[in-house]
Amino acid sequence: MKIKNILVVGGAGYIGSHMSWMLRERGENVVILDNLSSGHKDAAFCGTFIEGDLCNPTILNTVFTDHNIEAVIHFASSIQVGESMSDPAKYYENNLVNSLNLLNAMRSHNVSKIIFSSTAAIFGNPQYTPINESHPLNPINTYGRTKLMVEQILADYDRAYGIKSISLRYFNAAGAHPESILGERHDPETHLIPLVLDAASGRRPDITVFGKDYDTYDGTCIRDYIHVMDLGEAHWLSLQHLINGGDSNSFNLGNGNGYSVNEVIRSVESVTGLDVPVKYGSRRFGDPSVLVSDSSKIIDMLGWAPQYSSLDEIVKHAWQWHKRQANESNQKIDI
Ligand code: UFG
């Protein structure tokens, strides 16, 4: 019998590469499909790598014909909220149409299990916090709308075609592999923790805090930072659930602890021992003041137990990766 494979779409990206590593460590055979638009080929070393785009039906057909795909984990998408408002066509193509192409290829090849990367952005401005799965779904940007539409398509595809899915609504993914084998590399970088690390190490002059007049304890936005390895673990448990015949579901995924932007900066200063030059700027459009997850559903149903829930540990792993990257590009940081 042909060996079974897990197809990781977007496996050269930040979360997808950590997931592929985890799958390989646990004895799974991995096939990675990535168009390298934002991922890195050198991060896609934990499986058979295929460069290709979900808009290409020939590639999709080849992937499913040549490899015995048992289940799909779908990370590939465009993720910048601001860009999704200025260039919605890109987001409807990449996130919606391409997800549909993937699902239709799964249908044609009788593959009936998929884990989908969704987002806290499907909730819009929170009506209460922490946010559980019963919270109204009211995305306020195109990025969030594309993810919600795919969740709705998944529900229809389960009912009509029996494709089982788990949608994981990430809050703020952060951190890196604890031994710095992998980490976060976005270009351009827009996420807070890597930007603050850049400011600490002098790779950029400072960090601009977007708004200090929010209705929070220190006036800056509060977010729920979840370690990328804990995210991986949630995908693993979701995969086991589907492979064991479990039903479709969706889960919110965060630590349940909120940290303000100022607290993240203080954590970076404490972990690195370096001063972070800070500027205070105006609010960024579309930023809710507080986004914190109530993840009790996945804890109760799938037994998910985050291992790295302290912010300092998340920042420590991100810092180790940051130093490794800087040293490899000869911008040696002597710390
Ligand atoms: N921030 C700054 N300065 C910066 C960058 C970010 O103050 O230079 C602040 C933001 O205003 C926000 C917090 O840091 O309050 C975190 O910002 P990120 O850009 O790191 O993350 P977001 O919370 O905006 O985005 C995350 C995911 C998105 C997802 C969104 C859902 O990265 O993919 O949550 O709301 F859409």
Side-chain angles (χ1 to χ4, degrees):
M1 207 180 87
K2 271 168 80 182
I3 54 164
K4 288 182 175 172
N5 292 286
I6 307 297
L7 174 63
V8 181
V9 184
Y14 170 43
I15 305 172
S17 60
H18 286 78
M19 186 72 237
S20 303
W21 181 87
M22 190 175 277
L23 288 167
R24 192 186 66 170
E25 285 298 293
R26 294 176 184 191
E28 299 291 341
N29 297 299
V30 178
V31 173
I32 294 170
L33 176 65
D34 199 300
N35 66 5
L36 298 182
S37 62
S38 56
H40 303 269
K41 184 149 188 243
D42 61 11
F45 60 88
C46 292
T48 304
F49 176 68
I50 300 162
E51 183 173 346
D53 199 290
L54 292 177
C55 72
N56 183 335
T58 314
I59 289 211
L60 272 174
N61 192 40
T62 308
V63 168
F64 283 98
T65 305
D66 291 357
H67 304 275
N68 187 21
I69 305 295
E70 182 178 22
V72 177
I73 310 185
H74 177 27
F75 293 99
S77 73
S78 301
I79 60 164
Q80 289 178 37
V81 171
E83 184 189 52
S84 80
M85 299 300 277
S86 57
D87 190 6
K90 175 175 174 183
Y91 282 69
Y92 286 112
E93 284 293 334
N94 285 347
N95 298 3
L96 183 63
V97 177
N98 283 349
S99 295
L100 205 50
N101 293 342
L102 175 63
L103 284 168
N104 287 332
M106 288 173 62
R107 272 182 71 200
S108 307
H109 294 269
N110 297 316
V111 176
S112 62
K113 299 171 190 72
I114 181 167
I115 317 292
F116 173 61
S117 300
S118 189
T119 170
I122 65 170
F123 297 110
N125 283 318
Q127 295 180 12
Y128 57 84
T129 183
I131 298 173
N132 59 13
E133 289 78 3
S134 310
H135 187 284
L137 303 172
N138 188 22
I140 57 166
N141 50 60
T142 305
Y143 169 69
R145 277 190 281 277
T146 61
K147 292 288 184 173
L148 179 55
M149 286 174 193
V150 176
E151 284 203 23
Q152 290 164 336
I153 291 170
L154 287 170
D156 283 339
Y157 272 47
D158 181 4
R159 196 177 27 77
Y161 312 124
I163 291 186
K164 300 292 172 195
S165 66
I166 300 285
S167 295
L168 297 174
R169 288 106 172 233
Y170 310 158
F171 282 63
N172 288 60
H177 187 284
E179 279 95 47
S180 303
I181 292 169
L182 292 157
E184 188 169 8
R185 273 186 284 167
H186 292 117
D187 187 18
E189 188 51 78
T190 59
H191 291 117
L192 181 66
I193 292 176
L195 289 176
V196 179
L197 291 172
D198 280 345
S201 64
R203 274 179 159 187
R204 65 178 62 231
D206 48 48
I207 179 78
T208 301
V209 175
F210 297 144
K212 59 171 182 177
D213 58 351
Y214 283 95
D215 185 18
T216 59
Y217 43 79
D218 65 12
T220 66
C221 284
I222 292 175
R223 293 288 179 274
D224 181 339
Y225 296 89
I226 171 169
H227 197 292
V228 64
M229 300 301 284
D230 287 331
L231 271 182
E233 185 64 32
H235 288 74
W236 171 258
L237 292 169
S238 302
L239 186 65
Q240 301 314 306
H241 169 82
L242 292 185
I243 288 174
N244 291 329
D247 263 337
S248 297
N249 220 323
S250 39
F251 298 105
N252 293 357
L253 213 48
N255 277 313
N257 303 314
Y259 293 97
S260 71
V261 175
N262 280 339
E263 284 173 321
V264 170
I265 293 169
R266 278 203 297 278
S267 170
V268 167
E269 289 186 325
S270 133
V271 167
T272 63
L274 297 167
D275 285 338
V276 175
V278 177
K279 278 189 193 160
Y280 287 92
S282 46
R283 290 182 178 202
R284 187 172 66 178
F285 176 75
D287 266 343
S289 58
V290 181
L291 272 179
V292 177
S293 171
D294 176 346
S295 306
S296 37
K297 184 175 165 191
I298 190 166
I299 292 169
D300 294 344
M301 278 194 66
L302 301 188
W304 180 65
Q307 261 194 69
Y308 307 104
S309 41
S310 109
L311 178 63
D312 283 353
E313 198 162 24
I314 291 171
V315 168
K316 186 178 97 184
H317 291 158
W319 176 232
Q320 286 165 353
W321 167 253
H322 179 96
K323 283 193 290 185
R324 182 176 164 182
Q325 288 294 108
N327 291 344
E328 281 177 5
S329 59
N330 292 323
Q331 297 172 281
K332 193 156 174 48
I333 304 174
D334 292 317
I335 296 120

mmCIF file of all heavy atoms in Angstrom, residues 246-275:
data_model
loop_
_atom_site.group_PDB
_atom_site.id
_atom_site.type_symbol
_atom_site.label_atom_id
_atom_site.label_comp_id
_atom_site.label_asym_id
_atom_site.label_seq_id
_atom_site.Cartn_x
_atom_site.Cartn_y
_atom_site.Cartn_z
ATOM 1 N N GLY A 246 -13.689 12.158 13.847
ATOM 2 C CA GLY A 246 -14.403 13.247 14.529
ATOM 3 C C GLY A 246 -15.109 14.170 13.550
ATOM 4 O O GLY A 246 -14.810 14.206 12.355
ATOM 5 N N ASP A 247 -16.043 14.931 14.091
ATOM 6 C CA ASP A 247 -16.852 15.845 13.282
ATOM 7 C C ASP A 247 -16.152 17.181 13.055
ATOM 8 O O ASP A 247 -15.219 17.530 13.771
ATOM 9 C CB ASP A 247 -18.175 16.119 14.019
ATOM 10 C CG ASP A 247 -19.260 15.218 13.470
ATOM 11 O OD1 ASP A 247 -19.116 14.757 12.319
ATOM 12 O OD2 ASP A 247 -20.226 14.972 14.211
ATOM 13 N N SER A 248 -16.688 17.945 12.115
ATOM 14 C CA SER A 248 -16.186 19.291 11.847
ATOM 15 C C SER A 248 -16.444 20.198 13.048
ATOM 16 O O SER A 248 -17.423 20.006 13.789
ATOM 17 C CB SER A 248 -16.912 19.882 10.642
ATOM 18 O OG SER A 248 -16.642 19.113 9.498
ATOM 19 N N ASN A 249 -15.564 21.191 13.200
ATOM 20 C CA ASN A 249 -15.737 22.131 14.310
ATOM 21 C C ASN A 249 -14.878 23.357 14.071
ATOM 22 O O ASN A 249 -14.064 23.367 13.138
ATOM 23 C CB ASN A 249 -15.346 21.453 15.636
ATOM 24 C CG ASN A 249 -16.290 21.835 16.766
ATOM 25 O OD1 ASN A 249 -16.737 22.978 16.828
ATOM 26 N ND2 ASN A 249 -16.604 20.886 17.627
ATOM 27 N N SER A 250 -15.050 24.353 14.917
ATOM 28 C CA SER A 250 -14.151 25.509 14.874
ATOM 29 C C SER A 250 -13.799 25.900 16.305
ATOM 30 O O SER A 250 -14.636 25.765 17.210
ATOM 31 C CB SER A 250 -14.790 26.674 14.132
ATOM 32 O OG SER A 250 -16.140 26.752 14.432
ATOM 33 N N PHE A 251 -12.551 26.339 16.480
ATOM 34 C CA PHE A 251 -12.044 26.629 17.823
ATOM 35 C C PHE A 251 -11.283 27.950 17.822
ATOM 36 O O PHE A 251 -10.498 28.225 16.904
ATOM 37 C CB PHE A 251 -11.065 25.533 18.278
ATOM 38 C CG PHE A 251 -11.676 24.166 18.380
ATOM 39 C CD1 PHE A 251 -11.413 23.197 17.413
ATOM 40 C CD2 PHE A 251 -12.510 23.832 19.447
ATOM 41 C CE1 PHE A 251 -11.966 21.930 17.499
ATOM 42 C CE2 PHE A 251 -13.073 22.562 19.538
ATOM 43 C CZ PHE A 251 -12.800 21.598 18.566
ATOM 44 N N ASN A 252 -11.462 28.715 18.896
ATOM 45 C CA ASN A 252 -10.631 29.895 19.115
ATOM 46 C C ASN A 252 -9.313 29.447 19.751
ATOM 47 O O ASN A 252 -9.294 28.538 20.585
ATOM 48 C CB ASN A 252 -11.337 30.873 20.054
ATOM 49 C CG ASN A 252 -12.565 31.466 19.403
ATOM 50 O OD1 ASN A 252 -12.848 31.175 18.240
ATOM 51 N ND2 ASN A 252 -13.290 32.288 20.135
ATOM 52 N N LEU A 253 -8.240 30.135 19.365
ATOM 53 C CA LEU A 253 -6.925 29.666 19.787
ATOM 54 C C LEU A 253 -6.038 30.819 20.258
ATOM 55 O O LEU A 253 -5.474 31.564 19.466
ATOM 56 C CB LEU A 253 -6.274 28.971 18.582
ATOM 57 C CG LEU A 253 -5.370 27.801 18.851
ATOM 58 C CD1 LEU A 253 -5.975 26.809 19.807
ATOM 59 C CD2 LEU A 253 -5.042 27.123 17.539
ATOM 60 N N GLY A 254 -5.952 30.934 21.562
ATOM 61 C CA GLY A 254 -5.052 31.908 22.178
ATOM 62 C C GLY A 254 -4.727 31.402 23.574
ATOM 63 O O GLY A 254 -5.245 30.372 24.002
ATOM 64 N N ASN A 255 -3.885 32.144 24.288
ATOM 65 C CA ASN A 255 -3.529 31.735 25.645
ATOM 66 C C ASN A 255 -4.563 32.103 26.686
ATOM 67 O O ASN A 255 -4.539 31.612 27.791
ATOM 68 C CB ASN A 255 -2.238 32.441 26.066
ATOM 69 C CG ASN A 255 -1.049 31.703 25.545
ATOM 70 O OD1 ASN A 255 -0.986 30.498 25.679
ATOM 71 N ND2 ASN A 255 -0.136 32.428 24.943
ATOM 72 N N GLY A 256 -5.396 33.082 26.326
ATOM 73 C CA GLY A 256 -6.352 33.589 27.306
ATOM 74 C C GLY A 256 -5.761 34.686 28.179
ATOM 75 O O GLY A 256 -6.425 35.197 29.079
ATOM 76 N N ASN A 257 -4.488 35.056 27.934
ATOM 77 C CA ASN A 257 -3.867 36.157 28.688
ATOM 78 C C ASN A 257 -3.642 37.318 27.740
ATOM 79 O O ASN A 257 -3.052 37.139 26.682
ATOM 80 C CB ASN A 257 -2.482 35.757 29.234
ATOM 81 C CG ASN A 257 -2.562 34.536 30.108
ATOM 82 O OD1 ASN A 257 -3.436 34.445 30.963
ATOM 83 N ND2 ASN A 257 -1.668 33.587 29.879
ATOM 84 N N GLY A 258 -4.100 38.492 28.144
ATOM 85 C CA GLY A 258 -3.870 39.669 27.315
ATOM 86 C C GLY A 258 -2.642 40.436 27.785
ATOM 87 O O GLY A 258 -2.387 40.539 28.988
ATOM 88 N N TYR A 259 -1.856 40.945 26.834
ATOM 89 C CA TYR A 259 -0.709 41.805 27.159
ATOM 90 C C TYR A 259 -0.805 43.068 26.311
ATOM 91 O O TYR A 259 -1.098 42.993 25.104
ATOM 92 C CB TYR A 259 0.617 41.101 26.863
ATOM 93 C CG TYR A 259 0.879 39.910 27.761
ATOM 94 C CD1 TYR A 259 0.576 38.621 27.334
ATOM 95 C CD2 TYR A 259 1.397 40.084 29.039
ATOM 96 C CE1 TYR A 259 0.796 37.528 28.159
ATOM 97 C CE2 TYR A 259 1.625 38.995 29.873
ATOM 98 C CZ TYR A 259 1.325 37.716 29.427
ATOM 99 O OH TYR A 259 1.537 36.641 30.243
ATOM 100 N N SER A 260 -0.513 44.195 26.947
ATOM 101 C CA SER A 260 -0.559 45.465 26.208
ATOM 102 C C SER A 260 0.717 45.621 25.386
ATOM 103 O O SER A 260 1.724 44.939 25.631
ATOM 104 C CB SER A 260 -0.691 46.631 27.189
ATOM 105 O OG SER A 260 0.523 46.804 27.890
ATOM 106 N N VAL A 261 0.673 46.544 24.426
ATOM 107 C CA VAL A 261 1.862 46.814 23.610
ATOM 108 C C VAL A 261 3.019 47.238 24.526
ATOM 109 O O VAL A 261 4.159 46.783 24.367
ATOM 110 C CB VAL A 261 1.558 47.892 22.539
ATOM 111 C CG1 VAL A 261 2.821 48.265 21.778
ATOM 112 C CG2 VAL A 261 0.484 47.405 21.579
ATOM 113 N N ASN A 262 2.724 48.088 25.520
ATOM 114 C CA ASN A 262 3.795 48.498 26.450
ATOM 115 C C ASN A 262 4.360 47.302 27.208
ATOM 116 O O ASN A 262 5.571 47.234 27.455
ATOM 117 C CB ASN A 262 3.263 49.532 27.453
ATOM 118 C CG ASN A 262 3.208 50.927 26.844
ATOM 119 O OD1 ASN A 262 3.889 51.212 25.857
ATOM 120 N ND2 ASN A 262 2.389 51.805 27.422
ATOM 121 N N GLU A 263 3.521 46.365 27.579
ATOM 122 C CA GLU A 263 4.021 45.172 28.293
ATOM 123 C C GLU A 263 4.919 44.322 27.388
ATOM 124 O O GLU A 263 5.903 43.740 27.850
ATOM 125 C CB GLU A 263 2.849 44.340 28.823
ATOM 126 C CG GLU A 263 2.207 44.959 30.050
ATOM 127 C CD GLU A 263 0.943 44.232 30.498
ATOM 128 O OE1 GLU A 263 0.146 43.795 29.635
ATOM 129 O OE2 GLU A 263 0.749 44.133 31.719
ATOM 130 N N VAL A 264 4.565 44.239 26.103
ATOM 131 C CA VAL A 264 5.418 43.495 25.169
ATOM 132 C C VAL A 264 6.792 44.175 25.096
ATOM 133 O O VAL A 264 7.835 43.514 25.141
ATOM 134 C CB VAL A 264 4.764 43.413 23.772
ATOM 135 C CG1 VAL A 264 5.741 42.869 22.735
ATOM 136 C CG2 VAL A 264 3.505 42.542 23.823
ATOM 137 N N ILE A 265 6.800 45.489 25.027
ATOM 138 C CA ILE A 265 8.078 46.216 24.947
ATOM 139 C C ILE A 265 8.895 45.961 26.225
ATOM 140 O O ILE A 265 10.100 45.683 26.161
ATOM 141 C CB ILE A 265 7.823 47.726 24.725
ATOM 142 C CG1 ILE A 265 7.197 47.933 23.334
ATOM 143 C CG2 ILE A 265 9.101 48.544 24.881
ATOM 144 C CD1 ILE A 265 6.644 49.323 23.086
ATOM 145 N N ARG A 266 8.245 46.006 27.374
ATOM 146 C CA ARG A 266 8.968 45.746 28.637
ATOM 147 C C ARG A 266 9.500 44.316 28.675
ATOM 148 O O ARG A 266 10.602 44.058 29.154
ATOM 149 C CB ARG A 266 8.056 46.013 29.835
ATOM 150 C CG ARG A 266 8.012 47.505 30.193
ATOM 151 C CD ARG A 266 7.605 47.719 31.646
ATOM 152 N NE ARG A 266 6.254 47.220 31.884
ATOM 153 C CZ ARG A 266 5.145 47.918 31.597
ATOM 154 N NH1 ARG A 266 5.231 49.129 31.073
ATOM 155 N NH2 ARG A 266 3.960 47.404 31.844
ATOM 156 N N SER A 267 8.709 43.368 28.158
ATOM 157 C CA SER A 267 9.171 41.976 28.135
ATOM 158 C C SER A 267 10.420 41.865 27.248
ATOM 159 O O SER A 267 11.396 41.182 27.612
ATOM 160 C CB SER A 267 8.052 41.068 27.620
ATOM 161 O OG SER A 267 8.536 39.780 27.365
ATOM 162 N N VAL A 268 10.409 42.536 26.092
ATOM 163 C CA VAL A 268 11.581 42.497 25.205
ATOM 164 C C VAL A 268 12.790 43.102 25.918
ATOM 165 O O VAL A 268 13.903 42.558 25.868
ATOM 166 C CB VAL A 268 11.294 43.239 23.870
ATOM 167 C CG1 VAL A 268 12.577 43.475 23.082
ATOM 168 C CG2 VAL A 268 10.286 42.455 23.033
ATOM 169 N N GLU A 269 12.587 44.199 26.646
ATOM 170 C CA GLU A 269 13.724 44.819 27.356
ATOM 171 C C GLU A 269 14.259 43.873 28.429
ATOM 172 O O GLU A 269 15.468 43.741 28.604
ATOM 173 C CB GLU A 269 13.289 46.157 27.979
ATOM 174 C CG GLU A 269 13.059 47.204 26.899
ATOM 175 C CD GLU A 269 12.755 48.595 27.448
ATOM 176 O OE1 GLU A 269 12.089 48.694 28.507
ATOM 177 O OE2 GLU A 269 13.162 49.575 26.802
ATOM 178 N N SER A 270 13.352 43.195 29.113
ATOM 179 C CA SER A 270 13.806 42.310 30.188
ATOM 180 C C SER A 270 14.498 41.063 29.626
ATOM 181 O O SER A 270 15.532 40.633 30.122
ATOM 182 C CB SER A 270 12.612 42.007 31.096
ATOM 183 O OG SER A 270 12.500 40.675 31.393
ATOM 184 N N VAL A 271 13.956 40.484 28.540
ATOM 185 C CA VAL A 271 14.554 39.265 27.969
ATOM 186 C C VAL A 271 15.895 39.570 27.305
ATOM 187 O O VAL A 271 16.858 38.814 27.436
ATOM 188 C CB VAL A 271 13.569 38.622 26.951
ATOM 189 C CG1 VAL A 271 14.255 37.560 26.103
ATOM 190 C CG2 VAL A 271 12.368 38.032 27.674
ATOM 191 N N THR A 272 15.982 40.699 26.598
ATOM 192 C CA THR A 272 17.208 40.998 25.839
ATOM 193 C C THR A 272 18.232 41.768 26.666
ATOM 194 O O THR A 272 19.417 41.799 26.330
ATOM 195 C CB THR A 272 16.897 41.859 24.593
ATOM 196 O OG1 THR A 272 16.368 43.131 25.026
ATOM 197 C CG2 THR A 272 15.892 41.189 23.681
ATOM 198 N N GLY A 273 17.791 42.431 27.743
ATOM 199 C CA GLY A 273 18.692 43.302 28.504
ATOM 200 C C GLY A 273 19.026 44.580 27.742
ATOM 201 O O GLY A 273 19.981 45.282 28.092
ATOM 202 N N LEU A 274 18.252 44.898 26.708
ATOM 203 C CA LEU A 274 18.536 46.078 25.882
ATOM 204 C C LEU A 274 17.389 47.093 26.002
ATOM 205 O O LEU A 274 16.250 46.705 26.261
ATOM 206 C CB LEU A 274 18.653 45.666 24.404
ATOM 207 C CG LEU A 274 19.796 44.707 24.081
ATOM 208 C CD1 LEU A 274 19.616 44.132 22.685
ATOM 209 C CD2 LEU A 274 21.134 45.441 24.191
ATOM 210 N N ASP A 275 17.721 48.355 25.800
ATOM 211 C CA ASP A 275 16.673 49.388 25.792
ATOM 212 C C ASP A 275 15.979 49.406 24.435
ATOM 213 O O ASP A 275 16.640 49.259 23.399
ATOM 214 C CB ASP A 275 17.284 50.777 26.021
ATOM 215 C CG ASP A 275 17.667 50.963 27.471
ATOM 216 O OD1 ASP A 275 17.101 50.242 28.325
ATOM 217 O OD2 ASP A 275 18.557 51.797 27.739
#
